PDB file of all heavy atoms in Angstrom:
ATOM      1  N   TYR A 320      -4.683  -3.295   8.983  1.00 88.00           N
ATOM      2  CA  TYR A 320      -4.216  -2.115   8.298  1.00 88.00           C
ATOM      3  C   TYR A 320      -2.847  -2.421   7.621  1.00 88.00           C
ATOM      4  O   TYR A 320      -2.676  -1.952   6.526  1.00 88.00           O
ATOM      5  CB  TYR A 320      -4.009  -0.988   9.323  1.00 88.00           C
ATOM      6  CG  TYR A 320      -5.139  -0.496  10.053  1.00 88.00           C
ATOM      7  CD1 TYR A 320      -5.069   0.400  11.207  1.00 88.00           C
ATOM      8  CD2 TYR A 320      -6.415  -0.852   9.685  1.00 88.00           C
ATOM      9  CE1 TYR A 320      -6.185   0.851  11.854  1.00 88.00           C
ATOM     10  CE2 TYR A 320      -7.594  -0.383  10.366  1.00 88.00           C
ATOM     11  CZ  TYR A 320      -7.434   0.517  11.418  1.00 88.00           C
ATOM     12  OH  TYR A 320      -8.535   0.961  12.051  1.00 88.00           O
ATOM     13  N   LEU A 321      -2.014  -3.220   8.271  1.00 92.00           N
ATOM     14  CA  LEU A 321      -0.788  -3.531   7.643  1.00 92.00           C
ATOM     15  C   LEU A 321      -1.001  -4.287   6.401  1.00 92.00           C
ATOM     16  O   LEU A 321      -0.375  -4.049   5.406  1.00 92.00           O
ATOM     17  CB  LEU A 321       0.110  -4.412   8.588  1.00 92.00           C
ATOM     18  CG  LEU A 321       1.558  -4.672   8.008  1.00 92.00           C
ATOM     19  CD1 LEU A 321       2.317  -3.397   7.658  1.00 92.00           C
ATOM     20  CD2 LEU A 321       2.242  -5.566   8.970  1.00 92.00           C
ATOM     21  N   GLN A 322      -1.932  -5.345   6.391  1.00 91.00           N
ATOM     22  CA  GLN A 322      -2.301  -6.075   5.240  1.00 91.00           C
ATOM     23  C   GLN A 322      -2.789  -5.073   4.121  1.00 91.00           C
ATOM     24  O   GLN A 322      -2.417  -5.277   2.944  1.00 91.00           O
ATOM     25  CB  GLN A 322      -3.237  -7.061   5.533  1.00 91.00           C
ATOM     26  CG  GLN A 322      -2.778  -8.365   6.256  1.00 91.00           C
ATOM     27  CD  GLN A 322      -1.788  -9.156   5.335  1.00 91.00           C
ATOM     28  OE1 GLN A 322      -2.087  -9.614   4.295  1.00 91.00           O
ATOM     29  NE2 GLN A 322      -0.537  -9.318   5.866  1.00 91.00           N
ATOM     30  N   SER A 323      -3.652  -4.104   4.422  1.00 89.00           N
ATOM     31  CA  SER A 323      -4.081  -3.171   3.485  1.00 89.00           C
ATOM     32  C   SER A 323      -3.004  -2.368   2.876  1.00 89.00           C
ATOM     33  O   SER A 323      -3.067  -2.170   1.599  1.00 89.00           O
ATOM     34  CB  SER A 323      -5.171  -2.260   4.175  1.00 89.00           C
ATOM     35  OG  SER A 323      -5.595  -1.368   3.328  1.00 89.00           O
ATOM     36  N   VAL A 324      -2.106  -1.882   3.686  1.00 93.00           N
ATOM     37  CA  VAL A 324      -1.028  -0.986   3.134  1.00 93.00           C
ATOM     38  C   VAL A 324      -0.090  -1.797   2.197  1.00 93.00           C
ATOM     39  O   VAL A 324       0.135  -1.347   1.110  1.00 93.00           O
ATOM     40  CB  VAL A 324      -0.149  -0.502   4.337  1.00 93.00           C
ATOM     41  CG1 VAL A 324       1.109   0.134   3.849  1.00 93.00           C
ATOM     42  CG2 VAL A 324      -1.038   0.542   5.085  1.00 93.00           C
ATOM     43  N   LEU A 325       0.223  -2.992   2.673  1.00 95.00           N
ATOM     44  CA  LEU A 325       1.107  -3.834   1.810  1.00 95.00           C
ATOM     45  C   LEU A 325       0.376  -4.211   0.464  1.00 95.00           C
ATOM     46  O   LEU A 325       1.045  -4.228  -0.501  1.00 95.00           O
ATOM     47  CB  LEU A 325       1.520  -5.156   2.590  1.00 95.00           C
ATOM     48  CG  LEU A 325       2.330  -4.844   3.874  1.00 95.00           C
ATOM     49  CD1 LEU A 325       2.610  -6.186   4.566  1.00 95.00           C
ATOM     50  CD2 LEU A 325       3.630  -4.051   3.672  1.00 95.00           C
ATOM     51  N   LEU A 326      -0.869  -4.621   0.597  1.00 92.00           N
ATOM     52  CA  LEU A 326      -1.610  -4.981  -0.664  1.00 92.00           C
ATOM     53  C   LEU A 326      -1.722  -3.790  -1.636  1.00 92.00           C
ATOM     54  O   LEU A 326      -1.547  -3.992  -2.766  1.00 92.00           O
ATOM     55  CB  LEU A 326      -3.057  -5.452  -0.184  1.00 92.00           C
ATOM     56  CG  LEU A 326      -3.867  -6.114  -1.234  1.00 92.00           C
ATOM     57  CD1 LEU A 326      -3.225  -7.376  -1.781  1.00 92.00           C
ATOM     58  CD2 LEU A 326      -5.246  -6.365  -0.702  1.00 92.00           C
ATOM     59  N   ASN A 327      -2.014  -2.535  -1.023  1.00 91.00           N
ATOM     60  CA  ASN A 327      -2.117  -1.442  -1.940  1.00 91.00           C
ATOM     61  C   ASN A 327      -0.798  -1.151  -2.643  1.00 91.00           C
ATOM     62  O   ASN A 327      -0.799  -0.818  -3.809  1.00 91.00           O
ATOM     63  CB  ASN A 327      -2.542  -0.194  -1.158  1.00 91.00           C
ATOM     64  CG  ASN A 327      -4.117  -0.151  -1.069  1.00 91.00           C
ATOM     65  OD1 ASN A 327      -4.821  -0.187  -2.155  1.00 91.00           O
ATOM     66  ND2 ASN A 327      -4.680  -0.085   0.069  1.00 91.00           N
ATOM     67  N   MET A 328       0.342  -1.258  -1.929  1.00 94.00           N
ATOM     68  CA  MET A 328       1.598  -0.993  -2.500  1.00 94.00           C
ATOM     69  C   MET A 328       1.922  -1.992  -3.573  1.00 94.00           C
ATOM     70  O   MET A 328       2.416  -1.619  -4.698  1.00 94.00           O
ATOM     71  CB  MET A 328       2.725  -1.053  -1.483  1.00 94.00           C
ATOM     72  CG  MET A 328       2.702   0.101  -0.447  1.00 94.00           C
ATOM     73  SD  MET A 328       3.231   1.688  -1.164  1.00 94.00           S
ATOM     74  CE  MET A 328       1.705   2.440  -1.537  1.00 94.00           C
ATOM     75  N   CYS A 329       1.596  -3.272  -3.396  1.00 95.00           N
ATOM     76  CA  CYS A 329       1.928  -4.317  -4.395  1.00 95.00           C
ATOM     77  C   CYS A 329       0.980  -4.182  -5.604  1.00 95.00           C
ATOM     78  O   CYS A 329       1.338  -4.265  -6.758  1.00 95.00           O
ATOM     79  CB  CYS A 329       1.717  -5.648  -3.769  1.00 95.00           C
ATOM     80  SG  CYS A 329       3.072  -6.081  -2.680  1.00 95.00           S
ATOM     81  N   THR A 330      -0.258  -3.888  -5.310  1.00 92.00           N
ATOM     82  CA  THR A 330      -1.248  -3.820  -6.499  1.00 92.00           C
ATOM     83  C   THR A 330      -0.935  -2.589  -7.374  1.00 92.00           C
ATOM     84  O   THR A 330      -1.080  -2.630  -8.583  1.00 92.00           O
ATOM     85  CB  THR A 330      -2.745  -3.817  -6.144  1.00 92.00           C
ATOM     86  OG1 THR A 330      -2.873  -2.810  -5.064  1.00 92.00           O
ATOM     87  CG2 THR A 330      -3.123  -5.183  -5.502  1.00 92.00           C
ATOM     88  N   ASN A 331      -0.497  -1.543  -6.689  1.00 90.00           N
ATOM     89  CA  ASN A 331      -0.026  -0.345  -7.479  1.00 90.00           C
ATOM     90  C   ASN A 331       1.209  -0.673  -8.443  1.00 90.00           C
ATOM     91  O   ASN A 331       1.227  -0.185  -9.601  1.00 90.00           O
ATOM     92  CB  ASN A 331       0.303   0.935  -6.568  1.00 90.00           C
ATOM     93  CG  ASN A 331      -0.993   1.676  -6.180  1.00 90.00           C
ATOM     94  OD1 ASN A 331      -2.022   1.409  -6.763  1.00 90.00           O
ATOM     95  ND2 ASN A 331      -0.808   2.577  -5.235  1.00 90.00           N
ATOM     96  N   ALA A 332       2.013  -1.430  -7.876  1.00 93.00           N
ATOM     97  CA  ALA A 332       3.253  -1.784  -8.671  1.00 93.00           C
ATOM     98  C   ALA A 332       2.815  -2.615  -9.885  1.00 93.00           C
ATOM     99  O   ALA A 332       3.382  -2.451 -10.974  1.00 93.00           O
ATOM    100  CB  ALA A 332       4.258  -2.552  -7.874  1.00 93.00           C
ATOM    101  N   ILE A 333       1.900  -3.520  -9.608  1.00 93.00           N
ATOM    102  CA  ILE A 333       1.377  -4.452 -10.722  1.00 93.00           C
ATOM    103  C   ILE A 333       0.668  -3.529 -11.743  1.00 93.00           C
ATOM    104  O   ILE A 333       0.829  -3.679 -13.016  1.00 93.00           O
ATOM    105  CB  ILE A 333       0.446  -5.486 -10.210  1.00 93.00           C
ATOM    106  CG1 ILE A 333       1.217  -6.487  -9.369  1.00 93.00           C
ATOM    107  CG2 ILE A 333      -0.268  -6.183 -11.279  1.00 93.00           C
ATOM    108  CD1 ILE A 333       0.330  -7.399  -8.500  1.00 93.00           C
ATOM    109  N   ARG A 334      -0.261  -2.612 -11.290  1.00 90.00           N
ATOM    110  CA  ARG A 334      -1.105  -1.875 -12.159  1.00 90.00           C
ATOM    111  C   ARG A 334      -0.333  -0.936 -12.972  1.00 90.00           C
ATOM    112  O   ARG A 334      -0.719  -0.768 -14.168  1.00 90.00           O
ATOM    113  CB  ARG A 334      -2.034  -1.140 -11.200  1.00 90.00           C
ATOM    114  CG  ARG A 334      -3.377  -0.684 -11.925  1.00 90.00           C
ATOM    115  CD  ARG A 334      -4.367  -0.130 -10.913  1.00 90.00           C
ATOM    116  NE  ARG A 334      -4.987  -1.234 -10.190  1.00 90.00           N
ATOM    117  CZ  ARG A 334      -5.434  -1.130  -9.003  1.00 90.00           C
ATOM    118  NH1 ARG A 334      -5.460   0.006  -8.289  1.00 90.00           N
ATOM    119  NH2 ARG A 334      -6.089  -2.174  -8.387  1.00 90.00           N
ATOM    120  N   TYR A 335       0.697  -0.303 -12.450  1.00 89.00           N
ATOM    121  CA  TYR A 335       1.359   0.739 -13.197  1.00 89.00           C
ATOM    122  C   TYR A 335       2.808   0.341 -13.579  1.00 89.00           C
ATOM    123  O   TYR A 335       3.653   1.171 -13.733  1.00 89.00           O
ATOM    124  CB  TYR A 335       1.446   1.992 -12.288  1.00 89.00           C
ATOM    125  CG  TYR A 335       0.077   2.374 -11.920  1.00 89.00           C
ATOM    126  CD1 TYR A 335      -0.359   2.344 -10.532  1.00 89.00           C
ATOM    127  CD2 TYR A 335      -0.896   2.769 -12.866  1.00 89.00           C
ATOM    128  CE1 TYR A 335      -1.617   2.708 -10.230  1.00 89.00           C
ATOM    129  CE2 TYR A 335      -2.188   3.096 -12.567  1.00 89.00           C
ATOM    130  CZ  TYR A 335      -2.557   3.053 -11.206  1.00 89.00           C
ATOM    131  OH  TYR A 335      -3.863   3.428 -10.931  1.00 89.00           O
TER     132      TYR A 335
END
Side-chain angles (χ1 to χ4, degrees):
Y320 296 170
L321 183 60
Q322 285 291 305
S323 173
V324 167
L325 301 178
L326 189 66
N327 272 304
M328 289 289 98
C329 287
T330 55
N331 274 353
I333 293 168
R334 202 171 283 155
Y335 304 115

